[in-house]
């Protein structure tokens, strides 16, 4: 009798879970602060809201069919990941809809709604992740390893050239429609610095600034427009080369045809890569170089895992050094992603070759230090402002002053005013963009002023810590919530800067009529507006993919494999500390290496799992190291 009662209770669990998850999904779509949870749910599944009804039926079917399997496959890591993603959903919904955390803490009723919302999504994510992680990929290996019967010999023998050609052809409309090329704020400022119109600083990487200046100077012998076109043309070729090399590397790892095709389509068709190939801005070339760095990096790690001799090892190390240094020199935060990755390469190097991993790290650090310090000083390159590193505390201070102005003492006002313009930051405060507040930074602030400011900053945190969390969430949620597109700044750089950055020293203008250019703008925006496609061009989606890949390695107890994801993960951290919420171009490096991370996680096999030398020798004679290799 007790067993029957227990079975009956267990049978009801997936039904209750299905209702909770369906309610959470419906609220995510139909959230209104003045409606109850029940009203929003009924509104979505009452037969008129057909989408909600379909979702409800689908969730119930999933749970009823797979609940037992879910209980067998779920582990601590699936629970943890489900918890994290559910928190992201709560934060993202609250700040995207309300601009604060009132969806969670607005009042007692709202807190209950948020709890139900959280539980519903937690169960949904836990079920889906458990089923995904526990799936037997070997059963679908034939589908993953599908290969066309007839592939032209040119494609097979010259895959790099084929990939380069496909990418270049798909990107050409962006260049042609925007001739001579877009010159947004950052790119125009770099050109100004290269020609002495503005003082050259390392706010933007000065080596790249001088490179742009050289190309512009050569092109200006014909016209300013041709100078811009020359910069765009060189950037276009470099970026297409890098992504074609990534495609070639993935193919060389014996990746299945489907992944090869999707990776090539990813770089060729997605508007983000083509759009940045036509713009004079550091993000496009930096992202391409970072993707190439990760391709060389994973190439070395894969050979170690497969226990195969690396052909041309020294050339690969030199290539990794050159590309790694270029990554560091094309964006100031690149060094924080490259150096940790090179240090972790020690764990994937054979004993006799660990010294080369050490030398690689030392050479990159030394080369970067020499270029960014004595060489930069010799060329009168000024350091960038420290304000660029302080977006988070500055936003927290501005929000505090906006919400609790009467609690700020005169001493605190003075300490803040010595660093920021106290009288204006509360009015200038934009919760998703720190630039207005940062721009009030007083350049003559001393170290003592900054120290006093941080003392006040900490005292304010002790008084109202919630304000600090709210300011941080509001300025970052776009990087971990996949259902929000950044609106505070445009995702694509389809513009030529005007005054005050454009000072009249250059005559740069589009040669194609605006109504024609709007065709490519409409195509790019189309991706953001279509459900599903919108997530493909959303930074938050790629953060989720990265976390799911890391979780999968943990689920399979391949903990060492997680180390390869360090550089992409650090890119997420850089985004969190950035001045703009959910800006696409800041997350581009993570996007560009996502296909490689997916392949790595599915193909990784821990060396410690080899039970005998014979098994290791058998593995040494195959190109099938993991689940999806063909």
């Amino acid at each position: 009798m007790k067993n029957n009662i227990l079975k009956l209770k267990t049978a009801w669990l997936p039904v209750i879970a299905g209702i909770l998850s369906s309610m959470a999904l419906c609220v995510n779509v139909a959230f209104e602060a003045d409606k109850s949870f029940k009203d929003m749910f009924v509104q979505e599944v009452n037969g008129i809201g057909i989408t909600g009804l379909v979702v409800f039926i689908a969730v119930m079917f999933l749970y009823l069919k797979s609940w037992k399997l879910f209980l067998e496959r779920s582990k601590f890591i699936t629970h943890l990941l489900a918890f994290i993603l559910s928190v992201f959903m709560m934060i993202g919904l609250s700040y995207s809809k309300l601009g604060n955390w009132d969806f969670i803490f607005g009042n007692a009723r709202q807190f209950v709604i948020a709890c139900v919302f959280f539980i519903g999504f937690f169960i949904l994510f836990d079920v889906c992740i458990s089923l995904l992680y526990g799936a037997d990929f070997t059963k679908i290996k034939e589908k993953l390893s599908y290969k066309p019967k007839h592939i032209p010999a040119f494609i097979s023998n010259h895959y790099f050239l084929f990939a380069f050609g496909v990418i270049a052809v798909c990107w050409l409309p962006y260049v042609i429609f925007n001739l001579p090329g877009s010159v947004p704020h950052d790119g125009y400022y770099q050109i100004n610095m290269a020609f002495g119109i503005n003082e050259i600083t390392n706010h933007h990487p000065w080596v790249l600034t001088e490179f742009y200046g050289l190309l512009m100077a050569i092109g200006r012998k014909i016209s300013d427009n041709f100078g811009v076109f020359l910069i765009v043309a060189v950037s276009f070729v470099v970026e297409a080369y890098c992504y074609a090399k990534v495609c070639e590397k993935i193919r060389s790892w014996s990746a299945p045809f489907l992944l090869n095709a999707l990776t090539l389509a990813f770089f060729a068709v997605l508007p983000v890569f083509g759009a940045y190939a036509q713009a004079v801005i550091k993000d496009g070339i930096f992202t391409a170089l970072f993707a190439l760095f990760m391709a060389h990096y994973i190439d070395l790690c894969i050979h170690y895992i497969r226990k195969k001799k690396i052909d041309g090892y020294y050339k690969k190390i030199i290539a990794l050094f050159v590309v790694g240094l270029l990554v560091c020199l094309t964006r100031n935060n690149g060094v924080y992603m490259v150096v940790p990755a090179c240090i972790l390469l020690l764990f994937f190097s054979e004993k006799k070759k660990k010294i080369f991993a050490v030398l690689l790290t030392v050479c990159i650090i030394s080369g970067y230090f020499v270029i960014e310090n004595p060489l930069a000083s010799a060329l009168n390159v000024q350091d960038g402002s420290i304000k660029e590193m302080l977006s988070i505390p500055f936003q927290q201070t501005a929000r505090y002053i906006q919400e609790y102005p009467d609690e700020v003492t005169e001493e605190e006002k003075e300490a803040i005013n010595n660093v920021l313009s106290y009288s204006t930051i509360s009015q200038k405060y934009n919760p998703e963009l720190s630039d207005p507040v940062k721009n009030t930074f007083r350049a003559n602030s001393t170290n003592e002023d900054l120290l006093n400011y941080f003392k006040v900053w900490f005292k304010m945190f002790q008084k109202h810590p919630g304000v600090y969390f709210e300011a941080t969430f509001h300025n970052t949620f776009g990087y971990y919530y996949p259902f929000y597109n950044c609106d505070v700044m445009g995702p694509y750089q389809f513009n030529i800067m005007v005054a005050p950055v454009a000072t009249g020293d250059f005559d740069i203008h589009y040669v194609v009529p605006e109504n024609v250019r709007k065709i490519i703008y409409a195509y790019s925006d189309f991706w953001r507006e279509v459900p599903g496609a919108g997530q493909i061009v959303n930074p938050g989606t790629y953060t989720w993919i990265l976390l799911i890949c890391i979780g999968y390695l943990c689920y399979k107890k391949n903990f060492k494999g997680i180390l390869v994801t360090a550089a992409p993960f650090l890119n997420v951290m850089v985004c969190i500390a950035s001045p703009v919420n959910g800006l696409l171009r800041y997350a581009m490096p993570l996007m560009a290496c996502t296909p490689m991370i997916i392949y790595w996680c599915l193909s990784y096999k821990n060396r410690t799992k080899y039970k005998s030398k014979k098994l290791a020798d058998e593995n040494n004679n195959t190109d099938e190291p993991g689940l999806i290799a063909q």
Side-chain angles (χ1 to χ4, degrees):
M1 182 68 177
K2 288 184 179 180
N3 290 336
N4 290 334
I5 294 174
L6 184 61
K7 287 181 180 179
L8 183 62
K9 289 182 178 179
T10 304
W12 276 101
L13 283 178
V15 176
I16 297 171
I19 293 173
L20 290 173
S21 294
S22 300
M23 292 176 76
L25 285 166
C26 291
V27 169
N28 189 58
V29 175
F31 172 70
E32 294 180 29
D34 58 344
K35 284 190 176 182
S36 69
F37 206 104
K38 176 185 174 183
D39 291 339
M40 285 182 276
F41 179 64
V42 171
Q43 174 185 319
E44 286 298 304
V45 298
N46 64 359
I48 299 174
I50 187 67
T51 303
L53 183 61
V54 170
V55 168
F56 174 69
I57 295 172
V59 171
M60 292 300 299
F61 179 79
L62 172 66
Y63 285 7
L64 290 171
K65 291 288 288 184
S66 61
W67 192 258
K68 184 178 180 181
L69 198 59
F70 153 65
L71 295 177
E72 293 173 355
R73 293 180 176 178
S74 61
K75 294 182 180 180
F76 172 76
I77 186 60
T78 65
H79 304 326
L80 177 61
L81 195 53
F83 178 87
I84 293 171
L85 298 185
S86 300
V87 170
F88 288 168
M89 288 296 294
M90 291 179 67
I91 294 172
L93 179 64
S94 189
Y95 282 93
S96 63
K97 298 286 188 179
L98 303 175
N100 51 48
W101 61 13
D102 284 356
F103 172 75
I104 308 167
F105 302 114
N107 51 53
R109 181 181 70 86
Q110 191 57 50
F111 184 75
V112 172
I113 291 176
C115 288
V116 176
F117 179 90
F118 174 83
I119 294 170
F121 268 111
F122 174 82
I123 297 171
L124 177 65
F125 292 144
D126 203 7
V127 170
C128 292
I129 293 169
S130 297
L131 294 177
L132 175 66
Y133 285 178
D136 185 358
F137 286 97
T138 58
K139 291 182 179 180
I140 59 174
K141 183 177 178 181
E142 291 183 5
K143 293 182 180 180
L144 288 172
S145 300
Y146 164 77
K147 188 175 182 180
K149 294 180 180 179
H150 302 289
I151 298 178
F154 176 82
I155 297 176
S156 297
N157 299 330
H158 307 282
Y159 189 72
F160 167 76
L161 292 177
F162 170 73
F164 183 90
V166 170
I167 291 171
V169 168
C170 291
W171 287 2
L172 273 178
Y174 295 97
V175 176
I176 294 172
F177 280 52
N178 292 284
L179 284 171
S182 297
V183 191
H185 179 282
D186 288 4
Y188 214 122
Y189 202 80
Q190 283 187 271
I191 293 174
N192 283 347
M193 288 194 295
F195 282 84
I197 299 167
N198 296 105
E199 182 183 42
I200 186 167
T201 72
N202 204 28
H203 173 70
H204 300 292
W206 73 269
V207 174
L208 187 61
T209 296
E210 295 290 8
F211 179 65
Y212 283 169
L214 174 63
L215 294 175
M216 186 72 179
I218 295 172
R220 288 190 81 193
K221 296 183 182 298
I222 298 175
S223 70
D224 291 342
N225 263 5
F226 190 76
V228 169
F229 175 74
L230 194 57
I231 296 174
V232 169
V234 172
S235 300
F236 181 98
V237 172
V238 171
E239 292 171 36
Y241 171 88
C242 290
Y243 296 131
K245 270 294 181 183
V246 169
C247 294
E248 183 187 44
K249 284 288 185 184
I250 290 178
R251 187 170 184 267
S252 73
W253 300 334
S254 299
F257 172 82
L258 182 60
L259 182 60
N260 291 329
L262 289 176
T263 301
L264 180 55
F266 179 75
F267 291 126
V269 178
L270 231 64
V272 58
F273 301 108
Y276 276 87
Q278 61 80 44
V280 180
I281 193 166
K282 59 183 177 287
D283 301 276
I285 198 166
F286 169 75
T287 297
L289 288 169
F290 179 76
L292 183 60
F293 170 82
M294 286 301 300
H296 285 300
Y297 185 81
I298 293 176
D299 194 41
L300 288 171
C301 295
I302 277 182
H303 280 287
Y304 174 78
I305 295 303
R306 295 181 181 183
K307 298 193 74 175
K308 292 174 70 71
K309 182 180 179 181
I310 303 177
D311 295 329
Y313 175 81
Y314 301 110
K315 289 182 179 179
K316 291 178 185 289
I317 282 289
I318 292 172
L320 190 63
F321 162 73
V322 172
V323 178
L325 187 58
L326 287 174
V327 171
C328 297
L329 297 176
T330 48
R331 192 172 179 89
N332 292 331
N333 53 39
V335 67
Y336 304 116
M337 296 150 64
V338 168
V339 171
C342 290
I343 293 173
L344 294 175
L345 188 61
L346 278 168
F347 293 93
F348 297 96
S349 301
E350 297 175 5
K351 289 183 178 180
K352 295 180 179 179
K353 294 178 178 176
K354 287 186 183 295
I355 184 63
F356 294 103
V358 174
L359 287 174
L360 171 69
T361 306
V362 171
C363 288
I364 287 179
I365 294 174
S366 302
Y368 179 77
F369 176 80
V370 169
I371 293 170
E372 293 297 327
N373 288 279
L375 183 57
S377 298
L379 297 173
N380 296 317
V381 178
Q382 302 300 312
D383 292 332
S385 174
I386 193 175
K387 70 179 182 180
E388 301 304 326
M389 303 173 61
L390 301 176
S391 290
I392 292 176
F394 285 175
Q395 288 288 84
Q396 292 167 339
T397 297
R399 190 162 184 138
Y400 184 100
I401 294 171
Q402 191 178 75
E403 295 192 12
Y404 300 101
D406 297 336
E407 297 189 21
V408 183
T409 67
E410 292 301 320
E411 293 77 12
E412 291 172 340
K413 289 180 182 178
E414 183 180 359
I416 295 170
N417 196 58
N418 287 336
V419 176
L420 300 168
S421 174
Y422 181 86
S423 62
T424 62
I425 56 174
S426 62
Q427 291 78 33
K428 289 180 177 291
Y429 173 63
N430 182 329
E432 295 189 45
L433 177 66
S434 68
D435 286 347
V437 171
K438 283 195 309 180
N439 289 340
T440 71
F441 178 76
R442 303 190 187 281
N444 59 351
S445 297
T446 64
N447 290 335
E448 185 179 357
D449 291 332
L450 285 169
L451 180 61
N452 291 332
Y453 163 77
F454 277 109
K455 288 179 180 179
V456 169
W457 173 86
F458 185 66
K459 287 181 181 178
M460 289 178 168
F461 171 74
Q462 292 176 308
K463 292 179 184 177
H464 298 286
V467 175
Y468 281 33
F469 287 111
E470 285 208 77
T472 303
F473 291 148
H474 206 160
N475 206 68
T476 60
F477 73 88
Y479 294 112
Y480 43 81
Y481 180 63
F483 305 100
Y484 177 76
N485 295 121
C486 175
D487 293 321
V488 69
M489 293 182 71
Y492 311 113
Q493 306 299 313
F494 295 128
N495 68 88
I496 292 177
M497 193 62 193
V498 295
V501 176
T503 59
D505 293 82
F506 303 104
D507 178 20
I508 304 172
H509 56 274
Y510 287 119
V511 299
V512 177
E514 183 179 1
N515 61 329
V516 178
R517 299 200 308 273
K518 284 183 177 179
I519 297 173
I520 205 72
Y521 304 166
Y523 169 76
S524 300
D525 288 337
F526 173 80
W527 280 81
R528 304 181 74 219
E529 297 166 359
V530 177
Q535 277 62 62
I536 298 176
V537 294
N538 190 314
T541 301
Y542 295 90
T543 301
W544 281 39
I545 292 174
L546 177 64
L547 291 176
I548 290 170
C549 286
I550 293 173
Y552 181 74
L553 290 170
C554 291
Y555 187 88
K556 295 297 183 180
K557 298 183 179 180
N558 294 329
F559 301 109
K560 189 174 179 180
I562 297 173
L563 301 179
V564 169
T565 67
F569 183 80
L570 288 170
N571 179 234
V572 177
M573 296 297 100
V574 168
C575 289
I576 297 297
S578 72
V580 189
N581 174 44
L583 190 60
L584 185 62
R585 65 186 178 96
Y586 290 164
M588 280 174 61
L590 171 61
M591 293 175 62
C593 64
T594 294
M596 293 179 281
I597 294 300
I598 292 173
Y599 176 80
W600 169 259
C601 290
L602 290 178
S603 64
Y604 182 86
K605 181 177 286 186
N606 198 327
R607 283 168 63 114
T608 60
K609 289 189 175 182
Y610 294 124
K611 296 181 179 179
S612 67
K613 186 178 183 301
K614 180 180 178 182
L615 183 60
D617 290 338
E618 290 176 356
N619 185 72
N620 196 39
N621 295 321
T622 180
D623 282 333
E624 299 183 1
L627 297 174
I628 69 169
Q630 63 181 14

